Amino acid sequence: MKKTPQELLQIEYRPPRREWMDPHVDFEARRGTWSYPAAPKNLEYLGLPNPREWSPTDEDWKLPDDWKEIVHKGFLDLLDRFRSLKVFMDCCVRCGACSDKCHFFIGSGDPKNMPVLRAELLRSVYRKDFTTAGKILGSVAGGRELTLEVIKEWYYYFYQCTECRRCSVFCPYGIDTAEITMMARELLNLLGVNINWVVEPVANCHRTGNHLGIQPHTFKDNIEFLCEELEDVTGIHIEPPINKKGAEILFIVPSADYFADPGIYTFMGYLLLFEHLGLDYTLSAYASEGGNFGLFLSHDTIKRLNYKMYAEAKRLGVKWILGGECGHMWRVVHQYMDTLNGPAGFLEVPRSPITGTVFDNAASTKMVHICEFTADLIHHGKLKLDPSRNDGWKVTFHDSCNPARGMGLLEEPRYILRHVLNELYEMPENTIREQTFCCGGGAGLGNDENMEMRMRGGLPRANAVRHVHEKHGVNILSCICAIDRAVLPTLMEYWVPEVRVAGVHEMVGNALVMEGEKERTTNLRGEPLPGKEA
Amino acid sequence: MRAFQALVIVAVLSGAATLAAGVTAMRPVLGIVLPYLALAVFLAGMVARVVWWARSPVPFKITTVCGQQRSLPFLRRQPLESPFTGWQVVGRMALEILLFRSLFRNTRTELTPRKNLAYQPDKLLWAGALAFHWSFLVIILRHLRLFLEPVPRMVGILESVDGFFQLAVPTFLLTDAVIVAALLYLLARRLFNARVRYVSLAADYLALFLLLGIAGTGIAMRYFWKVDLVSVKELALGLVTLRPVLPEGVGAIFFVHLFLVSVLFAYFPFSKLVHMGGVFLSPTRNMANDNRARRHVNPWNHPVPVHTYEEWEEEFHDKLVACGLPLDKE
Ligand code: HEM
Ligand code: SF4
Ligand code: SF4
């Protein structure tokens, strides 16, 4: 990042003189705020349209000759299939309640990052092509001709929305700009206008089972390596079952949890927990991804990727599925999976084998969030915990957008944290729970070439963290999302370098008192515990 | 500029109506033909719009959840922010429609001089919008006095509550003041809040100017240029009973009022005003957050290409063998 935080903070919220209907975007001047296009090999692998080499800075984007017709037909098709699109296109009154609710607007001041205008970029074309008033009156009625410049503008702004749905909370009609972004991305996909940071993980996941493209032998290696680390810290030897038929529970995590710092510590936390319980579970090298970048591409790719979860549960003959800490994964599991890939009649209504609790809130989907599972264990007193081992941490909790606004999982992680550590401080109320701010890197935007926009979009979150850091000395940001764990460390380094990032089950792992463990002198990261410094 | 376009349109419409009202031959057009036409366009247009919406399925249950889900019994749920049952959804929708719950959350984001972000509660938009809509509703209901004979008791009661402040003769009605104040606030907000002005279309001002025109002429008739209410009621009853009559001696201003109302009605189905119907159909608000408990069916859930376990095992066969993971097929 070339720009300093001070430079980035020169934000102008007053809109410019130029009318928004002018679609021009200067990609060259705005480097650092957009993502690179999809590599042709990934589109080819997935059988998606128009694979080719191109760059947004090119004059010619090499679209199909009949691109206009493709978009028009595609739009009609989406209107036919989604009532949400029709209602959201028609009902906005431009009251502006959503306008300053988007982290990208707050961090950039770019008026087209106001959710209402982001939606108008699509809506203006809808009016021109599909409404009586727009057809007759054109721009007076807010209609706008679909031109190549408009396609370029869509690429820029619909890949500058993290589909976090914060705007939707404030809209009097619940207009969800994330839904509109998803529709726009569907349309752009028809032309092969998409970003590599979305398409490559999707292609990887389709092939190997996970976004990172980790093949089964490496999957096993990684996990064995983490178990060795874990043994160093706790003295306990764990061999997690992989692809084990007949296990009671299939456990699926986002792939970053067994691949990258700091997710790996969360993964260690899961393993310790299951060992503590003697749980009959298995991991899968085939369903080795909880996340689903298909969500950021199209509804079809959601279904293609999520197919593996139920398929693998069936093949292995488990009773139900437990899911790890991941944000967008849970939007998909909670709101899409059962509809797209279900019904999962071959599974049983999840029941905790330890406490006997029946998770009837997951009676149909048959998948339980690890935080629901663990909170229930704690409530029943089934875990032996020593919260003081986390005393080095002053913690705040970041609600990830999707578990918060997609499922309402707000209290479970807090309940857990309050039992596994002693110092938990909440950020200001307009920045947490259903009003939580995005990390700035969701929906496929967490790549390096987009760094300036990430730092801008992450500003509201970072600013709230800074607040509790200064007020209470908070030094770690806890979260339940793999994308958070991947992008928040960079964000913190930039805005609040004193604060680090951890998953909730890392904290659980630290606090768990295991049978037969050696005296713990370090936390799961291998750093000395308070009072145990050599 | 866009505001000006809209102002010109409403001014031209009002001017034309004033002129036409002076021409005897035009009065049946203004008093009978256009109101019927407008009503027909309104009804047909709204039905067509709602049917058009309803023709598309709701493929996914994409509730925007604004509170704690129903999961474990010892965690406190928020059924009105995260409804789990049908009745809870009704409760959530009632709060939205009657009290504009979501708008009540509104905040104003500010970057302080010390470069901290602050989120100030900002309820003014909520208050203004609520004041406008409720007074509009009360005014419409009060108008039933003209269309019904005998006047229903409910309308009489409403009017006496509305006229609680008996400051002048004729009784000053609270909603008259409230609707004008609220509309002026909404207009001022559009004109002077830089961001709202930036996103506003001519159509957004048009709705406000039309409503101001309607309210203005209505109030003028009541308090200043009084019209003969007996004749107006005769006309109104004629319209309702499908035996239209055009009594003498109704002032020109009445025809301007009626004309603007006709324009509003005819314009309604083709404008953002359809939010009146759309708010009921919004899929992020009108469904329960019970996704994992009850399966939602998508009527077009077509098959997609997938990568099956068998294909996967075949592709990685050697590696699976080398690392000792079990195989389905030897
Ligand atoms: C169930 C019915 C309705 C609900 C829940 C509803 C709700 C809302 C809300 C929440 C707003 C946004 C706040 C604002 O911008 O003022 C709004 C705006 C508006 N509504 Fe409604 N409304 C309803 C019916 C109507 C009707 C029947 C009209 C008829 C004229 C109407 C006219 C307007 C106008 C003109 C605005 C825009 C105000 C502006 O420009 O700022 N609404 N409505
Ligand atoms: S809050 Fe809703 S109605 Fe208001 S401008 Fe935003 S999207 Fe439109
Ligand atoms: S979904 Fe999030 S990122 Fe997208 S417009 Fe709304 S607030 Fe902004």
Side-chain angles (χ1 to χ4, degrees):
Chain A
M1 253 308 276
K2 277 186 249 101
K3 290 191 180 134
T4 64
Q6 273 60 41
E7 285 167 338
L8 225 62
L9 277 167
Q10 304 308 314
I11 305 168
E12 177 56 81
Y13 289 141
R14 282 191 75 82
R17 297 194 70 82
R18 194 168 72 117
E19 295 262 346
W20 69 263
M21 285 216 181
D22 174 357
H24 182 72
V25 177
D26 185 345
F27 283 92
E28 197 57 66
R30 295 195 178 199
R31 273 186 192 279
T33 66
W34 47 267
S35 311
Y36 296 150
K41 67 168 195 312
N42 295 320
L43 290 174
E44 270 155 23
Y45 176 77
L46 291 164
L48 296 178
N50 202 15
R52 72 213 179 282
E53 292 287 351
W54 65 287
S55 160
T57 51
D58 295 345
E59 182 60 33
D60 178 9
W61 282 22
K62 301 185 199 154
L63 302 187
D65 291 335
D66 55 345
W67 65 270
K68 214 171 192 168
E69 208 183 314
I70 295 176
V71 173
H72 187 83
K73 282 207 184 114
F75 212 138
L76 271 179
D77 173 53
L78 291 173
L79 289 167
D80 251 2
R81 286 193 290 141
F82 292 89
R83 187 183 301 167
S84 54
L85 182 59
K86 285 182 171 175
V87 171
F88 292 166
M89 286 293 105
D90 282 338
C91 288
C92 172
V93 297
R94 284 162 297 282
C95 68
C98 60
S99 65
D100 57 353
K101 306 303 181 284
C102 175
H103 50 285
F104 283 122
F105 175 73
I106 297 173
S108 73
D110 183 338
K112 291 187 192 181
N113 273 326
M114 297 193 267
V116 47
L117 267 197
R118 197 188 308 286
E120 288 284 306
L121 303 181
L122 196 67
R123 199 178 276 124
S124 53
V125 171
Y126 163 82
R127 282 196 211 100
K128 176 89 175 72
D129 286 3
F130 304 107
T131 69
T132 324
K135 278 182 198 154
I136 302 169
L137 294 173
S139 70
V140 178
R144 202 166 59 138
E145 185 80 44
L146 179 62
T147 61
L148 276 173
E149 287 281 303
V150 169
I151 296 290
K152 295 181 178 184
E153 175 201 48
W154 284 2
Y155 177 76
Y156 187 71
Y157 289 103
F158 290 117
Y159 282 101
Q160 210 165 96
C161 163
T162 44
E163 303 183 1
C164 77
R165 305 172 92 220
R166 188 170 192 267
C167 46
S168 166
V169 168
F170 294 88
C171 174
Y173 318 114
I175 292 175
D176 178 8
T177 308
E179 179 82 352
I180 293 172
T181 294
M182 287 167 77
M183 299 297 154
R185 289 187 181 189
E186 292 250 8
L187 291 177
L188 290 173
N189 262 320
L190 299 174
L191 305 177
V193 174
N194 28 34
I195 67 172
N196 202 48
W197 200 256
V198 169
V199 179
E200 182 147 320
V202 172
N204 282 342
C205 192
H206 205 260
R207 175 162 174 257
T208 62
N210 56 74
H211 292 150
L212 299 165
I214 297 170
Q215 301 189 6
H217 55 296
T218 317
F219 177 82
K220 191 158 177 256
D221 277 357
N222 275 4
I223 288 170
E224 281 167 0
F225 171 76
L226 295 179
C227 290
E228 283 163 27
E229 301 270 295
L230 202 49
E231 191 165 353
D232 288 347
V233 175
T234 63
I236 296 200
H237 180 72
I238 299 177
E239 278 178 38
I242 300 175
N243 290 12
K244 177 181 146 193
K245 286 196 174 172
E248 182 172 359
I249 297 167
L250 170 61
F251 182 52
I252 300 179
V253 300
S255 52
D257 278 4
Y258 53 83
F259 183 75
D261 190 307
I264 49 175
Y265 308 116
T266 303
F267 192 81
M268 293 180 188
Y270 305 144
L271 294 185
L272 280 180
L273 174 70
F274 300 157
E275 185 70 16
H276 188 81
L277 301 169
L279 198 69
D280 178 16
Y281 75 104
T282 180
L283 297 162
S284 164
Y286 167 64
S288 49
E289 179 64 75
N292 188 333
F293 269 48
L295 179 67
F296 312 138
L297 198 58
S298 72
H299 292 84
D300 280 4
T301 46
I302 301 179
K303 183 170 178 181
R304 288 174 75 171
L305 299 190
N306 240 81
Y307 157 84
K308 292 197 174 96
M309 288 197 190
Y310 280 155
E312 185 68 341
K314 192 168 189 177
R315 185 184 76 89
L316 296 175
V318 300
K319 289 187 180 155
W320 54 278
I321 311 175
L322 184 63
E325 294 181 9
C326 180
H328 75 289
M329 156 180 175
W330 276 96
R331 173 100 204 271
V332 173
V333 168
H334 189 72
Q335 296 198 326
Y336 292 93
M337 178 167 80
D338 200 359
T339 297
L340 285 172
N341 306 106
F346 52 91
L347 295 174
E348 291 174 17
V349 175
R351 180 181 165 279
S352 170
I354 315 299
T355 65
T357 299
V358 176
F359 293 93
D360 61 354
N361 64 321
S364 177
T365 300
K366 281 126 180 154
M367 187 149 172
V368 172
H369 193 289
I370 182 95
C371 285
E372 296 169 336
F373 182 71
T374 304
D376 174 65
L377 291 167
I378 293 176
H379 179 74
H380 285 89
K382 299 293 183 191
L383 301 186
K384 208 168 158 203
L385 297 164
D386 176 4
S388 73
R389 287 185 189 160
N390 278 315
D391 276 353
W393 301 123
K394 293 180 192 250
V395 185
T396 190
F397 180 68
H398 160 67
D399 291 274
S400 311
C401 309
N402 288 300
R405 290 182 281 264
M407 63 193 294
L409 186 100
L410 305 172
E411 288 300 335
E412 291 85 347
R414 289 179 167 80
Y415 184 87
I416 297 171
L417 289 174
R418 280 197 294 270
H419 285 86
V420 300
L421 49 86
N422 290 318
E423 290 192 79
L424 178 66
Y425 302 97
E426 292 280 8
M427 288 180 274
E429 63 170 344
N430 292 111
T431 70
I432 53 168
R433 302 175 67 94
E434 76 279 3
Q435 298 196 19
T436 188
F437 275 109
C438 179
C439 59
L445 309 188
N447 54 66
D448 286 351
E449 66 264 21
N450 190 36
M451 193 56 86
E452 178 179 336
M453 212 58 213
R454 275 172 57 187
M455 295 304 109
R456 289 185 180 281
L459 171 66
R461 170 43 73 231
N463 204 264
V465 174
R466 165 163 296 290
H467 177 80
V468 280
H469 167 67
E470 283 170 0
K471 196 162 162 199
H472 305 290
V474 161
N475 58 9
I476 200 157
L477 179 58
S478 155
C479 60
I480 46 170
C481 172
I483 294 183
D484 281 340
R485 289 191 284 270
V487 304
L488 283 176
T490 322
L491 187 76
M492 289 301 116
E493 208 171 293
Y494 188 77
W495 291 113
V496 207
E498 303 84 354
V499 176
R500 299 162 76 190
V501 178
V504 165
H505 278 77
E506 175 182 344
M507 299 291 152
V508 174
N510 281 334
L512 269 178
V513 180
M514 307 287 295
E515 197 155 321
E517 71 182 357
K518 67 175 196 193
E519 191 197 340
R520 293 228 206 151
T521 53
T522 70
N523 59 26
L524 295 181
R525 300 183 178 210
E527 298 160 1
L529 289 177
K532 302 274 169 63
E533 294 89 350
Chain B
M1 182 53 211
R2 293 176 185 145
F4 191 67
Q5 284 174 344
L7 186 61
V8 168
I9 293 175
V10 176
V12 168
L13 288 174
S14 314
T18 316
L19 289 180
V23 182
T24 321
M26 287 303 289
R27 290 197 162 198
V29 177
L30 290 178
I32 297 168
V33 179
L34 285 180
Y36 273 138
L37 211 61
L39 189 66
V41 171
F42 172 75
L43 291 176
M46 276 315 276
V47 169
R49 186 71 355 192
V50 173
V51 167
W52 188 70
W53 286 332
R55 271 218 320 260
S56 296
V58 179
F60 302 105
K61 204 187 281 175
I62 53 165
T63 316
T64 300
V65 184
C66 297
Q68 172 61 32
Q69 66 169 349
R70 174 190 172 284
S71 58
L72 299 162
F74 56 91
L75 299 176
R76 217 185 66 201
R77 310 162 186 168
Q78 295 172 278
L80 290 174
E81 309 286 15
S82 169
F84 189 79
T85 66
W87 282 112
Q88 291 167 0
V89 173
V90 170
R92 185 184 202 198
M93 288 298 286
L95 282 183
E96 288 293 351
I97 286 164
L98 301 176
L99 295 175
F100 298 181
R101 163 76 184 98
S102 292
L103 210 52
F104 190 70
R105 289 195 183 91
N106 195 31
T107 53
R108 197 175 53 246
T109 307
E110 278 162 12
L111 195 60
T112 67
R114 289 191 54 240
K115 300 293 180 198
N116 277 318
L117 286 167
Y119 311 95
Q120 309 294 346
D122 183 3
K123 311 271 188 236
L124 213 54
L125 173 60
W126 171 80
L130 206 62
F132 159 65
H133 285 86
W134 273 107
S135 50
F136 190 67
L137 179 66
V138 171
I139 289 170
I140 289 176
L141 291 178
R142 277 205 280 102
H143 277 68
L144 290 179
R145 163 180 292 285
L146 297 172
F147 294 96
L148 300 174
E149 188 59 52
V151 177
R153 265 193 50 192
M154 190 271 302
V155 175
I157 295 171
L158 198 63
E159 200 162 304
S160 56
V161 174
D162 200 356
F164 183 72
F165 298 100
Q166 299 203 342
L167 298 178
V169 179
T171 309
F172 169 78
L173 295 175
L174 194 58
T175 45
D176 290 354
V178 171
I179 197 168
V180 173
L183 283 169
L184 286 176
Y185 161 71
L186 292 173
L187 179 64
R189 195 172 161 275
R190 257 190 214 291
L191 286 171
F192 301 118
N193 179 322
R195 268 185 284 121
V196 182
R197 183 173 63 236
Y198 195 70
V199 305
S200 292
L201 302 171
D204 299 322
Y205 297 103
L206 187 64
L208 289 173
F209 284 130
L210 260 181
L211 286 160
L212 274 170
I214 293 169
T217 48
I219 289 169
M221 272 190 293
R222 182 173 173 90
Y223 302 100
F224 308 110
W225 295 294
K226 301 224 173 60
V227 290
D228 176 15
L229 276 181
V230 177
S231 313
V232 171
K233 176 140 191 179
E234 212 177 313
L235 190 150
L237 270 177
L239 286 175
V240 180
T241 52
L242 298 181
R243 277 189 298 268
V245 285
L246 202 67
E248 287 298 311
V250 185
I253 187 158
F254 169 75
F255 287 99
V256 180
H257 184 69
L258 188 58
F259 178 68
L260 291 180
V261 172
S262 304
V263 172
L264 181 74
F265 268 61
Y267 174 62
F268 204 100
F270 309 101
S271 69
K272 67 172 188 182
L273 301 179
V274 295
H275 69 265
M276 178 179 76
V279 63
F280 292 90
L281 293 186
S282 180
T284 59
R285 292 286 188 272
N286 71 5
M287 287 187 285
N289 176 32
D290 62 351
N291 296 54
R292 275 184 294 153
R294 294 185 243 322
R295 180 165 184 260
H296 180 82
V297 177
N298 170 357
W300 52 255
N301 188 13
H302 48 242
V304 294
V306 294
H307 196 211
T308 64
Y309 176 81
E310 292 70 34
E311 290 162 339
W312 180 87
E313 183 176 294
E314 202 170 301
E315 181 167 353
F316 298 107
H317 180 271
D318 297 349
K319 288 163 176 161
L320 287 165
V321 172
C323 73
L325 283 175
L327 296 175
D328 270 6
K329 268 207 302 250
E330 288 312 319

